[in-house]
Amino acid sequence: MKIVDARVVLTSPGRNFVTLKVETDEGVTGLGDATLNGRELAVVGYLRDHVVPLLLGTDPYRIEDTWQALYRGAYWRRGPVTMAAIAAVDVALWDIKAKVAGLPLYQLLGGASRERVRTYGHASGRDIPELFDSIRARLAEGYPAIRVQTGVPGLERVYGVHHGATPDGARPVVEDWDTGAYLRSLPGVFDAVRQEFGPELTLLHDAHHRLTPIQAARLGKDLEPYDLFWLEDCTPAENQDGLRLVRRHTTTPLAIGEVFNTVFDYQTLVGEQLIDYVRSAVTHFGGVSPLRKLFDFAAQHQIKSAIHGPEDISPVGMAAAIHLDLAIHNFGIQEYAGHTPLTHEVFPHAYTFTDGYLHPGEAPGLGIELDEELASAHPYEPAYLPINRLQDGTIHDW
Ligand code: KDG
Ligand code: MG
């Protein structure tokens, strides 16, 4: 079998998605997600100009060899653009291999280790009543676990939550931030949530890289009475050593890694068991092949998976995640923010979301299609994530 064509499809059925479609001389096709929120065009160019020409004529069964050739052969390694592009190829080739085998991808990854995949959803509100309404809405949808984000008194927007296309597409929205106000208000929010919803509900929180290690240590400690499933991205972890300080001070479980793209970003974090959950997405980590290796490394340190699953991971990336979730032993939880009805139409899929649990379905391959005609009716729209400034105008992590 040979790869005879590979196309990059950029579509915006509510938000932008980058999809690679690989075609073979035997008519079997594979899909991969390469969406990099706010930097989509860079990945489109990388794939179209530098990856697709290298794929033509190659054997789609040689997934590991192709991965290594794209990673090592570029000479310039790592980085989100490169790794999103490689991820799309890796996933598309797994899709092809599983389709030819006539098996859902999870069977090629070792088969099911569980019956279904537990998820968490997002609740957010500017104040406590709005937050409670949002939590009730997620509970009504069946979510067994909920990430709680809320407004901070004195700040305009709910932090860490973004709302799709920017009004002026060419420029990011500017938000405001005050770490002191956040640290003072958040424990009270979780206290109110526990009083209203009781001790059983699984709760998570995302600090979105906004704290220094000592601030993160304090927050983790202050949240201990509220029994969080995890505190996510409490500090930017490019400085992996900083997590030692956080860890020394708190027993609140920690989750990190949605912006990471290789195992090297995790060496200290996993090797010294400084975190409890790894958050990388199939889409941003070079695909199923390297993420599987990361999970095996993490398992040696009793660290579990928690694949990133916001709206900006396409249904193709989500499908790949769900197959992996079902197969690995050290599964923790899967984030599932869902997609717009139009997105589900552009990407018809076999995976299901029922009572808060996902299942990849039994269709051969990833179990996902791309309606190219519908996709082309919804072209790319420039959109950026917000940026953050402190009250004196200093730029801060968003
Ligand atoms: O593109 C950025 C989003 O994916 C990110 O803000 C979502 O932090 C996020 C999460 O945990 O889902
Ligand atoms: Mg996050």
Side-chain angles (χ1 to χ4, degrees):
M1 197 185 263
K2 286 209 178 329
I3 295 174
V4 290
D5 194 14
R7 279 196 307 288
V8 186
V9 177
L10 178 57
T11 179
S12 184
R15 67 167 317 113
N16 295 313
F17 294 115
V18 181
T19 310
L20 179 71
K21 183 167 184 177
V22 176
E23 293 191 5
T24 63
D25 56 352
E26 294 183 20
V28 185
T29 61
L31 295 176
D33 177 27
T35 307
L36 188 60
N37 199 6
R39 295 294 184 270
E40 295 87 355
L41 299 180
V43 192
V44 170
Y46 192 102
L47 275 169
R48 194 193 47 216
D49 300 335
H50 302 295
V51 173
V52 167
L54 303 179
L55 291 180
L56 301 180
T58 62
D59 178 356
Y61 286 176
R62 297 184 63 171
I63 301 176
E64 182 67 19
D65 185 63
T66 302
W67 194 96
Q68 298 294 344
L70 292 174
Y71 180 78
R72 293 170 199 281
Y75 186 69
W76 309 107
R77 298 181 190 192
R78 308 168 66 183
V81 174
T82 300
M83 300 312 287
I86 296 178
V89 176
D90 180 82
V91 170
L93 298 191
W94 276 111
D95 190 17
I96 290 170
K97 194 183 277 274
K99 277 181 184 165
V100 173
L103 293 169
L105 174 59
Y106 75 83
Q107 293 289 10
L108 269 56
L109 301 174
S113 284
R114 58 196 48 78
E115 302 306 318
R116 52 188 190 155
V117 169
R118 180 170 64 146
T119 69
Y120 73 90
H122 297 174
S124 62
R126 272 167 302 181
D127 52 25
I128 301 273
E130 206 178 281
L131 173 64
F132 284 4
D133 286 348
S134 181
I135 293 175
R136 285 191 194 100
R138 293 297 84 75
L139 290 173
E141 288 159 6
Y143 280 101
I146 297 179
R147 186 191 83 169
V148 166
Q149 305 296 121
T150 184
V152 172
L155 301 186
E156 276 182 23
R157 298 273 293 263
V158 181
Y159 58 93
V161 175
H162 63 93
H163 301 280
T166 24
D168 169 9
R171 290 188 175 277
V173 166
V174 181
E175 297 186 354
D176 53 351
W177 182 246
D178 179 341
T179 302
Y182 165 72
L183 290 175
R184 285 190 296 277
S185 76
L186 195 67
V189 170
F190 274 92
D191 191 50
V193 171
R194 279 288 176 226
Q195 283 189 38
E196 181 70 14
F197 295 95
E200 307 289 337
L201 181 59
T202 301
L203 296 175
L204 307 85
H205 177 71
D206 190 348
H208 236 254
H209 322 270
R210 294 185 181 196
L211 308 176
T212 63
I214 196 67
Q215 290 166 340
R218 169 181 155 191
L219 182 64
K221 220 161 127 174
D222 288 351
L223 292 177
E224 278 170 25
Y226 310 110
D227 187 25
L228 267 61
F229 185 84
W230 78 43
L231 171 61
E232 177 185 344
D233 284 335
C234 59
T235 188
E238 292 96 317
N239 172 18
Q240 296 185 44
D241 295 344
L243 266 294
R244 291 198 193 102
L245 189 147
V246 184
R247 201 62 155 173
R248 272 202 295 274
H249 289 283
T250 182
T251 56
T252 294
L254 303 173
I256 284 187
E258 70 184 38
V259 301
F260 290 173
N261 40 68
T262 71
V263 68
F264 301 104
D265 298 318
Y266 284 104
Q267 272 182 328
T268 306
L269 295 179
V270 170
E272 296 186 24
Q273 205 163 349
L274 300 179
I275 56 174
D276 302 281
Y277 296 91
V278 296
R279 292 280 290 133
S280 290
V282 173
T283 305
H284 302 137
F285 203 76
V288 165
S289 305
L291 196 52
R292 175 69 197 247
K293 293 174 193 171
L294 172 67
F295 289 149
D296 289 345
F297 171 40
Q300 295 169 38
H301 301 274
Q302 294 155 292
I303 295 171
K304 294 192 173 186
S305 76
I307 298 180
H308 193 212
E311 304 89 331
D312 47 287
I313 297 295
S314 88
V316 177
M318 186 54 63
I322 302 166
H323 283 280
L324 201 45
D325 290 331
L326 200 71
I328 58 171
H329 177 254
N330 57 329
F331 168 76
I333 200 164
Q334 172 65 54
E335 181 181 28
Y336 182 61
H339 291 108
T340 62
L342 182 58
T343 302
H344 291 297
E345 270 184 65
V346 171
F347 299 96
H349 52 77
Y351 69 77
T352 51
F353 176 69
T354 314
D355 300 331
Y357 287 77
L358 288 159
H359 192 282
E362 298 299 336
L366 281 177
I368 188 143
E369 303 295 331
L370 170 63
D371 182 334
E372 289 190 62
E373 209 180 308
L374 191 55
S376 67
H378 299 280
Y380 170 74
E381 292 173 33
Y384 290 98
L385 286 162
I387 59 168
N388 236 346
R389 289 191 185 275
L390 305 180
Q391 271 150 347
D392 69 357
T394 308
I395 199 97
H396 193 71
D397 298 276
W398 183 75

